[in-house]
Amino acid sequence: MEDKIEAFLDLVRERNGHEPEFLQAVQEVAETVIPYIAEHEIYNGKNILLRMVEPERLISFRVSWVDDSGEIQVNRGYRVQMNSAIGPYKGGLRFHPTVNASILKFLAFEQVFKNSLTTLPMGGGKGGSDFDPKGKSDNEIMRFCHAFMTELYRHIGHNTDVPAGDIGVGAREIGFMFGMYKKLNNTFTGVLTGKGQSWGGSLIRPEATGYGNVYFAENMLKTKDDSFNGKKVVISGSGNVAQFAAEKAIELGATVLTLSDSSGYIYDEDGIDTEKLQFVMDLKNNKRGRISEYVDKYPNAKYFKEERPWSVKCDIALPCATQNELNGEEAKALIDNGCICVSEGANMPSTPEAIHEFHKAKILFAPGKASNAGGVATSGLEMSQNSLRLSWTREEVDARLKDIMEDIHDSCVEYGKNDDGTIDYVRGANIAGFVKVADAMLAQGVI
Ligand SMILES: NC(=O)C1=CN([C@@H]2O[C@H](COP(=O)(O)OP(=O)(O)OC[C@H]3O[C@@H](n4cnc5c(N)ncnc54)[C@H](O)[C@@H]3O)[C@@H](O)[C@H]2O)C=CC1
Ligand SMILES: O=C(O)CCC(=O)C(=O)O
């Protein structure tokens, strides 16, 4: 089996050797899915996984715009349309200076499996730009978003490809992009999700990824007759996913100790309560400040410059910032400090070495493609509401989100149960996500 996996990975490396993040994501899937394919006659000899690692379409384009000082700026825009076997391409847009084809292909590849897990009819895609929103004025953000959409609009549509937010793309950016799409197309459709509530957005979509991650972790804890109540929780990031993961963990009786950004982390021994979290939300979403400012407001807390929070003693860790933000040594530190559960809010935040440590220690570990799927699932619910021209209540969307996260957990258990009764959520998520897409691809023939 090892030979088969290596031979497959050699082929992928040959074509994508310069794309480390993409290769990392493919390797994780290949190691669990290739043995499954070998045991299931219907998938044999069809090169299904080889087809799945090649994007159906990869669009790259110039984005020119004028900054506040009158200088012309040039950025690169992308959309990776990875797989449409089970529905229109669906996945976020990331605006961050590190964005390149490798990062977006890894995210789009993960998205295919994640969207399949949600049980909703969505294919996988991802896009974005190397544009850095940090320090830009609202007008600059608007001009960039408008310029970005003047090209992207011809490749997307409510039945073709439905982008949403990701790092650096929140309600403000979705608004600007939606406005330009509507103007260029002269149609008002649900072409983007994460819209404002008065123009087609769904209640709970802003909360959904963070809440969903906590719901998933709750399901994992339940398998051990445990819960969030009374637990110490360490969270990385302080953006959309981190904020709402913290909110839900607090609501369930946990004490949240940390939050972070790309400059460092804050540790509040007394716990980040609801009032302190409101301060962070205002700081990050409106003032667009740095997490270090938390200690100016709450001097009992400590700020650790250019460090990550994984050495803080905790029961539960929720990495909610970015890819490869938790390495093997940090995983060991978490385990040595008594951490019993790691649930990924970000996409691929744990390195392969970290995942190896979690599995070796047999602690509960959920990969992002399962545990952060609540965001895109609620985007799917936004698409349904747009098609029906209806808005469901907060309670209704939240209840559906909870059910979906429980279903994803059940699928992971179905496909990931080990002989000793423990659950390999990585294998479970990969195989459960694969089966639905592969079956659709088989039914549709070689295209
Ligand atoms: N927004 C959503 O609905 C979903 C987001 N995700 C993933 O969750 C993660 C966070 O995304 P959002 O919260 O939406 O973005 P955001 O832009 O709201 O927040 C990103 C956070 O990550 C931090 N960050 C960025 N680069 C960093 C670095 N190099 N080191 C440490 N911190 C860093 C930022 O300071 C910020 O706190 C990403 O991996 C994203 O792909 C996954 C599923 C859905
Ligand atoms: O809601 C969406 O379509 C985007 C979600 C996303 O980008 C993700 O799940 O990583």
Side-chain angles (χ1 to χ4, degrees):
M1 187 51 58
E2 308 253 290
D3 288 355
K4 249 190 185 160
I5 296 170
E6 261 320 296
F8 172 80
L9 290 174
D10 278 345
L11 268 178
V12 183
R13 285 186 200 112
E14 224 169 79
R15 284 192 178 161
N16 308 279
H18 54 297
E19 296 181 340
E21 295 84 3
F22 179 57
L23 292 174
Q24 183 182 334
V26 171
Q27 178 157 351
E28 185 213 275
V29 167
E31 284 170 354
T32 48
V33 166
I34 289 178
Y36 182 82
I37 292 175
E39 286 165 10
H40 292 80
E41 187 67 25
I42 54 160
Y43 303 122
N44 274 316
K46 307 283 188 341
N47 272 347
I48 296 249
L49 201 55
L50 198 59
R51 286 193 262 160
M52 285 173 78
V53 298
E54 201 55 40
E56 289 177 10
R57 199 172 294 109
L58 193 160
I59 301 145
S60 160
F61 51 95
R62 182 179 71 209
V63 187
S64 311
W65 57 283
V66 180
D67 70 18
D68 284 349
S69 63
E71 288 259 331
I72 296 168
Q73 301 288 339
V74 181
N75 286 99
R76 191 170 286 174
Y78 300 89
R79 186 72 182 164
V80 183
Q81 297 182 330
M82 200 77 195
N83 193 300
S84 61
I86 62 168
Y89 308 106
K90 182 84 194 87
L93 295 169
R94 177 177 292 192
F95 292 168
H96 194 272
T98 56
V99 161
N100 57 34
S102 171
I103 302 243
L104 294 180
K105 279 172 67 181
F106 115 65
L107 289 163
F109 184 67
E110 292 273 296
Q111 200 79 45
V112 173
F113 294 81
K114 183 191 307 193
N115 293 4
S116 165
L117 283 169
T118 65
T119 70
L120 301 173
M122 298 181 291
K126 200 87 184 194
S129 173
D130 58 3
F131 171 73
D132 187 358
K134 219 183 269 171
K136 301 290 189 299
S137 70
D138 277 353
N139 271 330
E140 288 178 321
I141 297 285
M142 181 181 74
R143 285 198 293 276
F144 176 81
C145 289
H146 283 171
F148 183 81
M149 190 49 89
T150 57
E151 175 57 36
L152 187 68
Y153 88 98
R154 56 186 105 244
H155 308 290
I156 61 174
H158 66 291
N159 285 325
T160 312
D161 183 353
V162 183
D166 189 76
I167 292 180
V169 177
R172 174 182 59 167
E173 291 75 17
I174 293 292
F176 293 145
M177 287 190 276
F178 183 81
M180 183 51 86
Y181 181 88
K182 181 165 62 69
K183 183 180 170 76
L184 292 170
N185 243 11
N186 198 25
T187 53
F188 194 113
T189 63
V191 67
L192 297 171
T193 58
K195 299 184 291 297
Q197 254 130 60
S198 60
W199 42 282
S202 175
L203 289 163
I204 296 285
R205 176 61 189 89
E207 294 89 340
T209 310
Y211 279 17
N213 185 26
V214 172
Y215 293 152
F216 193 92
E218 229 188 346
N219 279 295
M220 290 201 292
L221 290 164
K222 248 188 234 160
T223 66
K224 310 258 179 206
D225 290 323
D226 212 338
S227 74
F228 268 82
N229 196 21
K231 297 289 188 299
K232 290 194 183 326
V233 180
V234 160
I235 299 181
S236 65
S238 49
N240 172 268
V241 180
Q243 290 171 15
F244 288 105
E247 184 170 279
K248 186 52 73 177
I250 296 165
E251 192 188 311
L252 295 180
T255 304
V256 174
L257 298 174
T258 67
L259 288 170
S260 73
D261 62 20
S262 54
S263 309
Y265 78 92
I266 56 108
Y267 171 37
D268 189 335
E269 205 178 2
D270 304 330
I272 301 164
D273 60 17
T274 307
E275 189 195 313
K276 294 172 181 174
L277 186 61
Q278 278 308 317
F279 168 80
V280 174
M281 288 180 173
D282 183 48
L283 175 71
K284 284 288 170 185
N285 307 345
N286 303 321
K287 303 199 171 77
R288 311 219 175 245
R290 306 304 294 163
I291 198 67
S292 55
E293 293 167 53
Y294 183 95
V295 296
D296 302 334
K297 173 85 176 164
Y298 303 106
N300 276 351
K302 295 192 183 93
Y303 175 61
F304 295 85
K305 196 174 170 199
E306 271 151 36
E307 285 187 45
R308 304 194 284 215
W310 313 124
S311 59
V312 173
K313 191 171 164 52
C314 67
D315 305 298
I316 298 169
L318 305 176
C320 296
T322 192
Q323 65 275 355
N324 291 328
E325 54 157 326
L326 200 173
N327 64 28
E329 287 308 308
E330 291 165 322
K332 275 192 212 158
L334 280 170
I335 295 160
D336 289 348
N337 276 331
C339 178
I340 55 165
C341 173
V342 179
S343 192
E344 296 185 336
N347 285 306
M348 209 169 73
S350 310
T351 64
E353 295 75 24
I355 296 173
H356 177 72
E357 294 300 332
F358 297 141
H359 281 165
K360 201 167 72 180
K362 295 187 187 289
I363 69 164
L364 297 169
F365 170 72
K369 63 169 79 71
S371 47
N372 73 33
V376 73
T378 308
S379 278
L381 301 177
E382 182 169 326
M383 289 165 74
S384 303
Q385 292 169 79
N386 291 166
S387 296
L388 293 166
R389 298 192 187 282
L390 283 175
S391 285
W392 297 331
T393 62
R394 194 179 163 83
E395 290 70 29
E396 181 160 5
V397 182
D398 196 31
R400 285 178 191 258
L401 170 63
K402 255 189 205 156
D403 285 349
I404 290 172
M405 297 317 293
E406 195 179 335
D407 284 348
I408 297 174
H409 183 267
D410 290 350
S411 300
C412 292
V413 173
E414 184 185 342
Y415 288 99
K417 203 157 201 164
N418 292 320
D419 293 339
D420 65 0
T422 58
I423 299 148
D424 181 339
Y425 288 90
V426 174
R427 192 174 80 241
N430 288 343
I431 297 175
F434 167 82
V435 165
K436 194 171 153 195
V437 176
D439 288 351
M441 288 174 73
L442 285 182
Q444 291 165 24
V446 181
I447 44 172

